Amino acid sequence: MVRKFRLMNEKGEDFDFMDFENFAFLSSPTGLGYSSTATFYQVGDNYVVDNRKLNQSTIGGVLMFKTYDNFKKLIDFIEQSEKIRFYYSIPTKYGYEEFYKEVVIEEISKTQKTINGVLECNLTMKGKNKWLKEEIIITKERTNTKDSRWEFTWNPTLIEYNNNLIVYNNVSHSEAGFIIEIGGEVLNPSIIIEDKDGEELVNLKYKGKLNSEQKLTYSTIDTDLKYQLSTGDDIRNLFNELSLENANFKKLVKGVNKIKLHADTNLNKVVIKIYPEFKSV
């Protein structure tokens, strides 16, 4: 099993760095490790860490193209994209684990083809955040009035779950942003999240009824904070309905988090996306 690399834009379009025939092959990747900077102050003959921060990542490598058309295809992909993610899949004993980070592509050098007929170009990208991993929990349609079964799309790191409670263990290197989507028909849905000691992180209560076409979305992703009600393409911002007395837009803490979902009627359609962050993978 080998590592895998690809780009994806905001439209869900891929540029595969493992497909030499149709796209490109990334060779000799660099910048995938760990780098931080610390400042110190001196106490006698000893030094104490004053501040420590993660350095911005610079990811590079050699892109190998079979044709000049494939090179142009990558340039077109970049220029037609507003946001680009770099995906990095790592082989583990459980199969592949995929991580990603937002990147800005700074340079792709262009030379002549080698004697083997391969166009080799140096690639340089700047990372905009830590490595993220998307972990999704989806409810199946409720089959009766009392039972709701959760479907997990990854090897879960949670501790326990039942009808409307999920205990999620965040084993990443920092707090984890998340997105919760609740679909209708449902009356007065609420989201309460607590840490292992019962301290409240999130207390969100929507007063009203969602019809079958509506969706309530709550996101604590730094670059995409939202609390909104959508009906098809029509979106209504609900920021003004947030209580200033409650914690808003907090992330899941490291360790145990209790996610409690309630409503005055059945919760039939719920999607939870959790994005644990890693300084290196």
Side-chain angles (χ1 to χ4, degrees):
M1 298 175 72
V2 298
R3 297 180 295 179
K4 298 179 181 180
F5 309 99
R6 65 186 175 99
L7 300 178
M8 178 186 285
N9 64 16
E10 76 283 357
K11 306 168 197 173
E13 298 169 339
D14 278 344
F15 196 96
D16 192 348
F17 281 168
M18 304 299 292
D19 186 347
F20 177 67
E21 291 290 328
N22 301 297
F23 295 95
F25 181 80
L26 178 61
S27 175
S28 305
T30 61
L32 301 177
Y34 177 85
S35 175
S36 67
T37 300
T39 57
F40 302 84
Y41 62 88
Q42 188 171 359
V43 180
D45 293 330
N46 299 307
Y47 292 87
V48 179
V49 175
D50 181 43
N51 184 45
R52 186 173 182 176
K53 63 179 181 180
L54 187 69
N55 293 331
Q56 183 179 16
S57 61
T58 300
I59 299 172
V62 178
L63 285 175
M64 305 173 70
F65 297 92
K66 184 176 182 179
T67 66
Y68 285 105
D69 286 343
N70 286 350
F71 174 89
K72 184 179 182 301
K73 186 186 296 186
L74 176 56
I75 303 304
D76 291 343
F77 176 87
I78 296 168
E79 289 303 314
Q80 293 167 8
S81 302
E82 293 184 7
K83 296 181 180 179
I84 295 179
R85 292 176 176 179
F86 176 66
Y87 281 84
Y88 176 28
S89 295
I90 304 171
T92 72
K93 63 180 180 180
Y94 302 110
Y96 278 99
E97 283 193 89
E98 188 170 58
F99 302 85
Y100 73 90
K101 66 169 57 188
E102 305 281 345
V103 296
V104 173
I105 298 176
E106 288 193 328
E107 182 179 5
I108 303 174
S109 65
K110 186 177 181 181
T111 59
Q112 299 297 317
K113 284 188 175 182
T114 66
I115 193 172
N116 296 322
V118 177
L119 180 63
E120 297 184 357
C121 304
N122 292 321
L123 167 70
T124 303
M125 302 183 291
K126 287 289 188 181
K128 297 171 62 178
N129 52 10
K130 294 189 280 287
W131 290 104
L132 301 177
K133 181 181 179 183
E134 184 179 68
E135 300 185 329
I136 305 175
I137 306 168
I138 305 175
T139 57
K140 296 179 179 177
E141 290 291 333
R142 185 184 290 266
T143 56
N144 57 57
T145 59
K146 295 184 179 181
D147 187 30
S148 178
R149 300 188 183 278
W150 297 94
E151 179 180 89
F152 303 95
T153 60
W154 89 105
N155 186 17
T157 54
L158 54 82
I159 299 171
E160 60 179 298
Y161 65 94
N162 56 38
N163 284 349
N164 294 322
L165 169 67
I166 296 173
V167 181
Y168 176 82
N169 186 22
N170 176 17
V171 296
S172 71
H173 300 157
S174 59
E175 296 178 335
F178 62 90
I179 299 172
I180 296 179
E181 299 173 348
I182 298 176
E185 297 178 348
V186 62
L187 178 65
N188 299 330
S190 67
I191 303 168
I192 297 175
I193 301 178
E194 301 173 347
D195 66 14
K196 64 181 179 63
D197 298 319
E199 182 176 345
E200 199 169 86
L201 304 174
V202 174
N203 188 327
L204 187 69
K205 296 179 180 179
Y206 178 83
K207 295 182 180 180
K209 183 178 181 179
L210 306 184
N211 63 43
S212 59
E213 304 299 319
Q214 293 181 309
K215 180 174 67 176
L216 187 69
T217 302
Y218 179 67
S219 169
T220 67
I221 305 300
D222 288 336
T223 56
D224 193 28
L225 296 176
K226 67 176 61 171
Y227 178 42
Q228 65 184 33
L229 180 66
S230 57
T231 307
D233 294 331
D234 181 44
I235 297 175
R236 180 161 66 93
N237 193 322
L238 301 177
F239 280 169
N240 291 335
E241 298 186 21
L242 291 170
S243 173
L244 297 179
E245 297 179 358
N246 296 330
N248 297 312
F249 301 115
K250 281 195 172 183
K251 296 183 179 182
L252 302 183
V253 297
K254 292 168 68 173
V256 172
N257 297 263
K258 302 174 185 177
I259 304 172
K260 303 176 182 180
L261 304 175
H262 297 282
D264 291 342
T265 54
N266 293 333
L267 283 167
N268 294 323
K269 299 177 182 178
V270 178
V271 177
I272 303 174
K273 302 177 183 179
I274 301 174
Y275 296 85
E277 302 179 1
F278 300 87
K279 296 179 181 179
S280 182
V281 293

